[in-house]
Structures are given as structure tokens and as C-alpha cells.
Coordinates of all heavy atoms in Angstrom, one line a residue:
T1 N -8.8 -11.0 -19.2 CA -10.0 -11.2 -18.3 C -9.8 -12.1 -17.2 O -10.0 -11.8 -16.0 CB -11.2 -11.6 -19.1 OG1 -11.4 -10.7 -20.2 CG2 -12.5 -11.7 -18.3
Y2 N -9.2 -13.3 -17.5 CA -9.0 -14.3 -16.4 C -8.0 -13.8 -15.4 O -8.1 -14.0 -14.2 CB -8.6 -15.6 -17.1 CG -9.7 -16.2 -18.0 CD1 -9.3 -16.9 -19.1 CD2 -11.0 -16.0 -17.7 CE1 -10.3 -17.4 -20.0 CE2 -12.0 -16.6 -18.5 CZ -11.6 -17.2 -19.7 OH -12.6 -17.8 -20.5
L3 N -6.9 -13.2 -16.0 CA -5.8 -12.8 -15.1 C -6.3 -11.7 -14.2 O -6.0 -11.6 -13.0 CB -4.6 -12.3 -15.9 CG -3.4 -11.8 -15.1 CD1 -2.9 -13.0 -14.2 CD2 -2.3 -11.3 -16.0
G4 N -7.2 -10.8 -14.7 CA -7.8 -9.7 -13.9 C -8.6 -10.3 -12.8 O -8.6 -9.8 -11.6
L5 N -9.4 -11.4 -13.1 CA -10.2 -12.0 -12.1 C -9.4 -12.7 -11.0 O -9.7 -12.5 -9.8 CB -11.1 -13.1 -12.7 CG -12.3 -12.5 -13.6 CD1 -13.0 -13.7 -14.3 CD2 -13.3 -11.7 -12.8
V6 N -8.3 -13.3 -11.4 CA -7.4 -14.0 -10.4 C -6.8 -12.9 -9.5 O -6.7 -13.1 -8.3 CB -6.3 -14.8 -11.2 CG1 -5.3 -15.3 -10.2 CG2 -7.0 -16.0 -11.9
I7 N -6.2 -11.8 -10.1 CA -5.6 -10.8 -9.3 C -6.6 -10.2 -8.4 O -6.3 -9.9 -7.2 CB -4.9 -9.7 -10.2 CG1 -3.8 -10.4 -11.0 CG2 -4.5 -8.5 -9.4 CD1 -3.1 -9.4 -11.9
S8 N -7.8 -9.9 -8.8 CA -8.9 -9.3 -8.0 C -9.2 -10.3 -6.8 O -9.4 -9.8 -5.7 CB -10.1 -9.1 -8.8 OG -9.9 -8.1 -9.8
A9 N -9.3 -11.6 -7.1 CA -9.6 -12.5 -6.0 C -8.5 -12.6 -5.0 O -8.7 -12.6 -3.8 CB -9.8 -13.9 -6.6
V10 N -7.2 -12.6 -5.5 CA -6.1 -12.6 -4.6 C -6.0 -11.3 -3.8 O -5.8 -11.4 -2.5 CB -4.7 -12.8 -5.4 CG1 -3.5 -12.6 -4.4 CG2 -4.7 -14.2 -6.0
A11 N -6.3 -10.2 -4.4 CA -6.3 -8.9 -3.7 C -7.4 -8.9 -2.6 O -7.2 -8.4 -1.5 CB -6.5 -7.8 -4.7
A12 N -8.6 -9.5 -2.9 CA -9.7 -9.5 -2.0 C -9.3 -10.4 -0.8 O -9.6 -10.0 0.4 CB -11.0 -10.0 -2.6
V13 N -8.7 -11.5 -1.0 CA -8.3 -12.4 0.1 C -7.2 -11.7 0.9 O -7.3 -11.7 2.2 CB -7.8 -13.7 -0.5 CG1 -7.1 -14.6 0.7 CG2 -8.9 -14.5 -1.1
Y14 N -6.2 -11.1 0.3 CA -5.2 -10.4 1.0 C -5.7 -9.2 1.8 O -5.3 -9.0 2.9 CB -4.1 -9.9 0.0 CG -2.9 -9.3 0.7 CD1 -2.0 -10.0 1.4 CD2 -2.7 -7.9 0.5 CE1 -1.0 -9.4 2.1 CE2 -1.6 -7.3 1.1 CZ -0.7 -8.0 1.9 OH 0.3 -7.4 2.5
G15 N -6.7 -8.5 1.2 CA -7.3 -7.4 1.9 C -8.0 -7.8 3.2 O -8.0 -7.2 4.2
T16 N -8.7 -9.0 3.0 CA -9.4 -9.5 4.2 C -8.5 -9.9 5.3 O -8.7 -9.6 6.5 CB -10.2 -10.7 3.8 OG1 -11.1 -10.4 2.7 CG2 -11.0 -11.3 4.9
I17 N -7.3 -10.5 4.9 CA -6.3 -10.9 5.9 C -5.8 -9.6 6.6 O -5.6 -9.6 7.9 CB -5.2 -11.7 5.2 CG1 -5.7 -13.0 4.7 CG2 -4.0 -11.9 6.2 CD1 -4.7 -13.8 3.9
I18 N -5.5 -8.6 5.9 CA -5.0 -7.3 6.5 C -6.0 -6.7 7.5 O -5.6 -6.3 8.6 CB -4.6 -6.3 5.4 CG1 -3.5 -6.8 4.5 CG2 -4.3 -4.9 6.0 CD1 -2.2 -7.0 5.3
I19 N -7.3 -6.7 7.1 CA -8.3 -6.2 8.0 C -8.4 -7.0 9.3 O -8.4 -6.4 10.4 CB -9.7 -6.2 7.2 CG1 -9.6 -5.2 6.1 CG2 -10.8 -5.9 8.2 CD1 -10.9 -5.2 5.2
L20 N -8.4 -8.3 9.1 CA -8.4 -9.2 10.3 C -7.2 -9.0 11.2 O -7.3 -8.9 12.5 CB -8.6 -10.6 9.9 CG -9.9 -11.0 9.2 CD1 -9.8 -12.5 8.8 CD2 -11.1 -10.8 10.2
Q21 N -6.0 -8.9 10.6 CA -4.8 -8.7 11.4 C -4.9 -7.3 12.1 O -4.4 -7.2 13.3 CB -3.6 -8.7 10.5 CG -3.2 -10.1 10.1 CD -1.9 -10.1 9.2 OE1 -1.5 -9.1 8.7 NE2 -1.3 -11.3 9.1
T22 N -5.4 -6.3 11.4 CA -5.5 -5.0 12.1 C -6.5 -5.0 13.2 O -6.2 -4.4 14.3 CB -6.0 -4.0 11.0 OG1 -5.1 -3.9 9.9 CG2 -6.1 -2.6 11.6
L23 N -7.6 -5.7 13.0 CA -8.6 -5.8 14.1 C -8.1 -6.6 15.3 O -8.4 -6.2 16.5 CB -9.9 -6.4 13.6 CG -10.7 -5.6 12.6 CD1 -11.9 -6.4 12.1 CD2 -11.1 -4.3 13.2
I24 N -7.3 -7.6 15.1 CA -6.8 -8.5 16.2 C -5.5 -7.9 16.8 O -5.4 -7.9 18.0 CB -6.6 -9.9 15.6 CG1 -8.0 -10.5 15.2 CG2 -6.0 -10.8 16.7 CD1 -7.8 -11.8 14.5
Q25 N -4.6 -7.6 15.9 CA -3.2 -7.2 16.4 C -3.0 -5.7 16.5 O -2.0 -5.3 17.0 CB -2.2 -7.9 15.6 CG -2.3 -9.4 15.6 CD -1.2 -10.0 14.6 OE1 -0.5 -9.3 14.0 NE2 -1.2 -11.4 14.6
G26 N -3.9 -4.9 15.9 CA -3.7 -3.5 15.8 C -3.0 -3.1 14.5 O -2.5 -4.0 13.7
S27 N -2.8 -1.8 14.2 CA -2.2 -1.3 13.0 C -0.8 -1.1 13.2 O -0.3 -0.6 14.2 CB -2.9 0.0 12.6 OG -2.3 0.5 11.4
D28 N 0.0 -1.5 12.1 CA 1.4 -1.2 12.1 C 1.8 -0.4 10.9 O 1.0 -0.2 10.0 CB 2.3 -2.5 12.3 CG 1.9 -3.5 11.2 OD1 1.0 -3.1 10.4 OD2 2.6 -4.5 11.1
V29 N 3.0 0.0 10.8 CA 3.4 0.8 9.6 C 3.6 -0.2 8.4 O 4.3 -1.2 8.5 CB 4.8 1.5 9.9 CG1 5.3 2.2 8.6 CG2 4.6 2.4 11.0
P30 N 2.9 0.1 7.3 CA 3.0 -0.8 6.1 C 4.4 -0.8 5.5 O 5.1 0.3 5.5 CB 2.0 -0.3 5.1 CG 1.8 1.2 5.5 CD 2.0 1.2 7.0
G31 N 4.8 -1.9 4.9 CA 6.2 -2.0 4.3 C 6.2 -1.3 3.0 O 5.4 -1.6 2.1
Y32 N 7.1 -0.4 2.8 CA 7.2 0.4 1.5 C 7.7 -0.6 0.4 O 7.1 -0.5 -0.7 CB 8.3 1.5 1.7 CG 8.5 2.3 0.4 CD1 7.6 3.2 -0.1 CD2 9.7 2.1 -0.4 CE1 7.8 3.9 -1.2 CE2 9.9 2.7 -1.5 CZ 9.0 3.7 -2.0 OH 9.2 4.4 -3.1
P33 N 8.6 -1.5 0.5 CA 9.0 -2.3 -0.6 C 7.9 -3.2 -1.1 O 7.7 -3.3 -2.3 CB 10.2 -3.2 0.0 CG 10.7 -2.4 1.1 CD 9.5 -1.7 1.7
S34 N 7.1 -3.8 -0.2 CA 6.0 -4.7 -0.6 C 5.0 -3.9 -1.3 O 4.4 -4.3 -2.3 CB 5.5 -5.4 0.6 OG 4.9 -4.5 1.5
L35 N 4.7 -2.6 -0.8 CA 3.7 -1.8 -1.5 C 4.1 -1.4 -2.9 O 3.3 -1.5 -3.8 CB 3.5 -0.5 -0.6 CG 2.5 0.5 -1.2 CD1 1.1 -0.1 -1.2 CD2 2.5 1.7 -0.3
M36 N 5.4 -1.0 -3.1 CA 5.9 -0.7 -4.4 C 5.9 -1.9 -5.3 O 5.6 -1.7 -6.5 CB 7.3 -0.1 -4.3 CG 7.3 1.3 -3.7 SD 6.4 2.5 -4.7 CE 7.2 2.4 -6.3
S37 N 6.2 -3.1 -4.8 CA 6.2 -4.3 -5.7 C 4.8 -4.5 -6.2 O 4.6 -4.8 -7.4 CB 6.7 -5.5 -4.9 OG 8.0 -5.3 -4.4
V38 N 3.8 -4.4 -5.4 CA 2.4 -4.7 -5.8 C 2.0 -3.6 -6.8 O 1.4 -3.9 -7.9 CB 1.5 -4.6 -4.6 CG1 0.0 -4.7 -5.1 CG2 1.8 -5.8 -3.7
I39 N 2.3 -2.3 -6.6 CA 1.9 -1.3 -7.5 C 2.6 -1.5 -8.9 O 1.9 -1.4 -9.9 CB 2.3 0.1 -6.9 CG1 1.4 0.4 -5.7 CG2 2.1 1.2 -7.9 CD1 1.8 1.7 -5.0
L40 N 3.9 -1.7 -8.9 CA 4.6 -1.9 -10.1 C 4.1 -3.1 -10.9 O 4.0 -3.1 -12.1 CB 6.1 -2.0 -9.9 CG 6.8 -0.7 -9.4 CD1 8.2 -1.0 -9.0 CD2 6.7 0.4 -10.4
F41 N 3.8 -4.2 -10.1 CA 3.3 -5.4 -10.8 C 2.0 -5.2 -11.5 O 1.8 -5.5 -12.7 CB 3.2 -6.6 -9.8 CG 2.5 -7.8 -10.3 CD1 3.1 -8.6 -11.2 CD2 1.2 -8.1 -9.9 CE1 2.5 -9.7 -11.7 CE2 0.5 -9.2 -10.4 CZ 1.2 -10.0 -11.3

């Protein structure tokens, strides 16, 4: 339960950062290695 809450909180913060970067700097191609690392983890 606690680990799920921590991961959800980290994901929410990271998602917010991605949205802000997209709004300010525009959209770029997401990195495949980092995406796979998150999915596998």
C-alpha cells in the first residue's frame, strides 16, 4: 500500500513536470529506454 502511494505520488509529480515542459518548450519525441524502464519497473 505504502509503496503504491509513493510511486503514485512520484508519477504525479513527474507527469506534472512533463506537462509543464511540453507547454513551455513544446513536445519532443519521448525516450524509448526510459519508457521501457518505467514500464518494467
Side-chain angles (χ1 to χ4, degrees):
T1 302
Y2 298 145
L3 184 59
L5 290 173
V6 170
I7 291 177
S8 297
V10 171
V13 172
Y14 182 68
T16 302
I17 294 174
I18 294 298
I19 292 173
L20 292 176
Q21 285 181 343
T22 301
L23 292 175
I24 297 173
Q25 301 176 0
S27 177
D28 56 356
V29 178
Y32 178 77
S34 60
L35 180 62
M36 287 302 299
S37 298
V38 172
I39 292 175
L40 292 175
F41 171 73

